[in-house]
Amino acid sequence: MLVVRSVAVGPFAENTFLAGCDRTGEAILIDPGGELPRVLALREPGGFSVKRILLTHGHIDHVAGAAEAAEATGAPVEIHPADLDWFDAIEDHGEMFGFTGVRAPPIARHLAGGDRLQVGDEQLRVIHTPGHTRGGCSLFFEAARVLFTGDALFVGSVGRTDLPGGDFRVLARSLREKVFPLGDDVRFYPGHGAAGLLGDERRNNPFVGQGRQL
Ligand SMILES: [Zn+2]
Ligand SMILES: [Zn+2]
């Protein structure tokens, strides 16, 4: 069974997730945004072993703890290559937004849409969902009906598209053509705020729901 745990960290209350297979104890960390002791505590109870660190996108609130998390767990860090340029100014952004001592994480592997990654008995599929950033990805555990959306989709909202690489039309297409078809029953966990159901957003989301003409 897939176990999902989360903790909100840093000045933007960014959700860091651990998703693990309860039979094998293998897990991934998603978007370690800082406050490492709290993030690493997600491994207990159960003594989960972090095998990979996946970044949904390159914004500092999602990656500020990735270098430290990689050192603490020995796990490789992975991100879509289209978001690598966010690391160029990561130290300046850190100072600007109130993160201390942030470093660019070492990237061991690039994510691509369609990748299938094994986490113990569970399999996850990478879905490239650009629009909030160019390299934004959502992570889908198909059998468990669980999706991590980063900042692409929130309960009742969508990610901002006014930052470099942002494009509302691209984001709307990602959500309508790649995310909503995954199924109304899919529980999604966004990068900020509470979890929700894709069906509720497909019907009622004020920005990209079915009633909204684009
Ligand atoms: Zn973001
Ligand atoms: Zn964010």
Side-chain angles (χ1 to χ4, degrees):
M1 226 180 70
L2 185 73
V3 172
V4 176
R5 295 178 182 157
S6 71
V7 62
V9 298
F12 297 104
E14 182 272 334
N15 290 327
T16 296
F17 297 98
L18 178 136
C21 163
D22 68 349
R23 193 184 69 80
T24 62
E26 291 189 11
I28 56 167
L29 263 188
I30 301 169
D31 290 355
E35 300 191 51
L36 250 285
R38 296 180 66 219
V39 168
L40 295 175
L42 293 173
R43 296 177 296 185
E44 302 297 340
F48 281 97
S49 170
V50 174
K51 300 297 186 192
R52 320 176 97 111
I53 298 167
L54 304 185
L55 305 177
T56 60
H57 64 295
H59 285 163
I60 189 159
D61 49 329
H62 296 254
V63 310
E68 256 186 289
E71 285 161 12
T73 62
V77 183
E78 307 178 30
I79 189 170
H80 192 288
D83 268 18
L84 285 174
D85 52 0
W86 284 100
F87 294 154
D88 296 346
I90 194 169
E91 282 145 41
D92 294 343
H93 288 155
E95 277 172 33
M96 231 184 293
F97 297 115
F99 296 83
T100 45
V102 176
R103 290 168 286 142
I107 299 303
R109 191 180 161 275
H110 290 166
L111 294 177
D115 281 357
R116 288 173 190 273
L117 309 178
Q118 202 67 32
V119 185
D121 297 336
E122 306 287 334
Q123 194 182 64
L124 98 78
R125 176 152 52 97
V126 176
I127 302 172
H128 183 213
T129 47
H132 173 65
T133 62
R134 290 190 191 93
C137 287
S138 297
L139 307 170
F140 184 40
F141 285 90
E142 187 158 9
R145 315 303 292 156
V146 163
L147 177 72
F148 297 91
T149 56
D151 288 355
L153 181 68
F154 302 115
V155 171
S157 186
V158 296
R160 59 190 290 184
T161 53
D162 59 329
L163 295 170
D167 184 323
F168 177 74
R169 289 194 163 277
V170 172
L171 180 60
R173 213 176 306 134
S174 291
L175 294 171
R176 285 186 164 181
E177 295 175 9
K178 296 182 179 175
V179 170
F180 292 156
L182 299 175
D184 286 355
D185 62 320
V186 172
R187 174 157 292 272
F188 75 99
Y189 292 86
H192 303 268
L197 279 177
L198 282 189
D200 291 338
E201 303 309 316
R202 184 184 62 76
R203 284 185 290 266
N204 302 323
N205 187 287
F207 300 95
V208 292
Q210 65 186 7
R212 176 79 186 211
Q213 210 81 307
L214 296 175

